[in-house]
Amino acid sequence: MFIIYCPYCCEYREEEEFHPKGQAHIERPKDPEACSDEEWGDYLFFRDNPRGVHHEMWVHAAGCRKFFNVTRHTVSYKILETYKMGEKPSVTAESVAATTATPESVQKEGVRA
Amino acid sequence: MSKVATFDTRAEADLPVATPMAYSFAHSGAPAVTPQSRVVLRERPLQGHLILRGGAIVLDEAVRKVLGINLPGEPQALTLDESGQRSVQWLSPDEWLVIVPDGEAFELETALRHELADAHYAISDVSGGQTLLELEGEGATEVLMKSVIYDVHPSHFKVGKGVTTVFAKATVILRRPSETRWELVVRRSFADYTYRWLLDAGDEFAIGVER
């Protein structure tokens, strides 16, 4: 069970109030007509499945009904950050890799579980 | 004045009106209030419910002028007028719920539309879609603790707070307008379910229904 901080309600709420909505920061091609099939297919169907830090979109379905972004570690399931739509994440795979001590411990924890 | 077509949803003719709880009172039972009752449940029927959407600054000005209540800008805030009959509640960063006594909704909507003129906003009358249930008594908090996933302990859920949360798998708006009183805004379609859940959960507190 997650306790998720909703950046719009400014409160921690239980996971039951939220729905995950897949990968965040997917940009629709500016000119779909000029896209190759591969580019369009990538945009429509192909999603990242990283082992580690993942940015995803969630919706506070039973609360304020706003979409927002969550940065989650896919191994430990730890939520590293939540931020509003349109904002840039402050925690990324690179920023976590830079502070080497945390990801290892996080990953070991995940492997044990 | 905007060019939006509006109409009073209340029928002019003297037709019988049934509240969402009318069916429940008739079919799901309504235990009477006894001296042992630690919780009393009642419906505040046929209130006017309006959803306001738009920018906080624009709406605040209009609501203050028309209703004399400040638009709550803080998340989960609820403000009432002196009589406690009219309230405005924060639902999301651009959405507020206004509840006024029976018959005032259309007047209020018209006045707000007049005040807001060409601003970017939306007002929807949702009076027919939801109803207001009230829980009162020392056992009310405990009944809610059994039912909602939100922390309703008085130290966390202060007076003047209102949240949208999950009540026994249904969505409700839960508000605390005063020290002893809790309000549940429930969907019409979930009204009977919520009511029967409350009767069951309140059984150990000898819940009584005031009509």
Side-chain angles (χ1 to χ4, degrees):
Chain A
M1 172 65 94
F2 283 135
I3 304 289
I4 301 171
Y5 185 85
C6 171
Y8 293 99
C9 293
C10 305
E11 258 191 1
Y12 283 93
R13 299 290 193 91
E14 289 200 26
E15 185 185 348
E16 210 178 323
E17 290 186 14
F18 300 87
H19 285 309
K21 288 287 177 180
Q23 190 185 334
H25 306 301
I26 294 170
E27 201 181 333
R28 188 176 198 271
K30 289 272 185 309
D31 184 6
E33 299 296 328
C35 271
S36 67
D37 283 354
E38 199 183 336
E39 279 168 349
W40 189 247
D42 273 353
Y43 160 67
L44 273 189
F45 303 113
F46 288 86
R47 297 292 176 260
D48 295 343
N49 185 20
R51 186 177 193 277
V53 176
H54 188 222
H55 303 291
E56 44 196 34
M57 209 155 56
W58 286 66
V59 59
H60 194 181
C64 61
R65 307 195 305 287
K66 293 280 176 216
F67 282 79
F68 60 95
N69 298 314
V70 169
T71 306
R72 190 172 60 87
H73 200 288
T74 55
V75 177
S76 65
Y77 274 49
K78 191 180 180 195
I79 290 176
L80 304 167
E81 186 189 22
T82 62
Y83 52 102
K84 291 179 184 176
M85 293 308 282
E87 290 180 358
K88 290 266 172 285
S90 67
V91 181
T92 57
E94 293 79 47
S95 79
V96 170
T99 55
T100 43
T102 24
E104 266 172 37
S105 62
V106 162
Q107 280 184 358
K108 272 182 196 155
E109 207 176 283
V111 171
R112 225 183 6 251
Chain B
M1 187 66 200
S2 60
K3 292 194 190 88
V4 177
T6 56
F7 68 100
D8 194 345
T9 48
R10 301 188 318 145
E12 273 177 25
D14 193 18
L15 297 168
V17 189
T19 80
M21 299 310 294
Y23 173 88
S24 309
F25 290 149
H27 294 87
S28 307
V33 181
T34 61
Q36 284 78 45
S37 293
R38 290 176 60 210
V39 196
V40 173
L41 172 68
R42 69 177 81 84
E43 184 191 17
R44 290 244 306 277
L46 309 172
Q47 305 278 299
H49 299 235
L50 292 181
I51 295 283
L52 308 184
R53 300 205 67 161
I57 297 161
V58 182
L59 286 176
D60 181 42
E61 206 172 297
V63 168
R64 240 180 316 135
K65 205 157 176 186
V66 175
L67 266 180
I69 310 177
N70 283 332
L71 197 77
E74 291 291 308
Q76 357 285 351
L78 165 75
T79 50
L80 295 104
D81 70 349
E82 293 90 40
S83 66
Q85 295 295 305
R86 295 163 194 83
S87 63
V88 185
Q89 186 192 345
W90 184 99
L91 290 187
S92 86
D94 58 356
E95 186 174 1
W96 287 266
L97 170 68
V98 182
I99 299 187
V100 292
D102 184 23
E104 286 184 23
F106 184 62
E107 238 173 82
L108 173 66
E109 186 185 340
T110 313
L112 282 173
R113 282 190 189 284
H114 183 77
E115 205 56 54
L116 288 160
D118 293 327
H120 184 62
Y121 69 97
I123 302 176
S124 3
D125 188 334
V126 292
S127 313
Q130 52 197 32
T131 191
L132 195 62
L133 297 179
E134 249 180 37
L135 281 179
E136 196 163 4
E138 39 162 350
T141 317
E142 282 167 77
V143 172
L144 288 171
M145 280 173 180
K146 291 171 70 176
S147 314
V148 295
I149 60 169
Y150 195 79
D151 182 5
V152 292
H153 192 275
S155 65
H156 182 249
F157 207 122
K158 302 251 174 7
V159 173
K161 191 171 182 176
V163 297
T164 316
T165 187
V166 177
F167 176 101
K169 296 187 183 179
T171 305
V172 297
I173 298 172
L174 179 65
R175 327 148 20 114
R176 193 169 178 217
S178 75
E179 206 59 58
T180 52
R181 217 152 43 80
W182 294 84
E183 287 177 351
L184 295 165
V185 180
V186 297
R187 297 263 179 203
R188 189 184 189 104
S189 49
F190 277 104
D192 186 53
Y193 167 76
T194 314
Y195 176 72
R196 288 192 295 172
W197 177 286
L198 281 170
L199 288 192
D200 191 37
D203 196 36
E204 59 177 303
F205 306 99
I207 192 166
V209 179
E210 226 173 60
R211 282 203 267 166

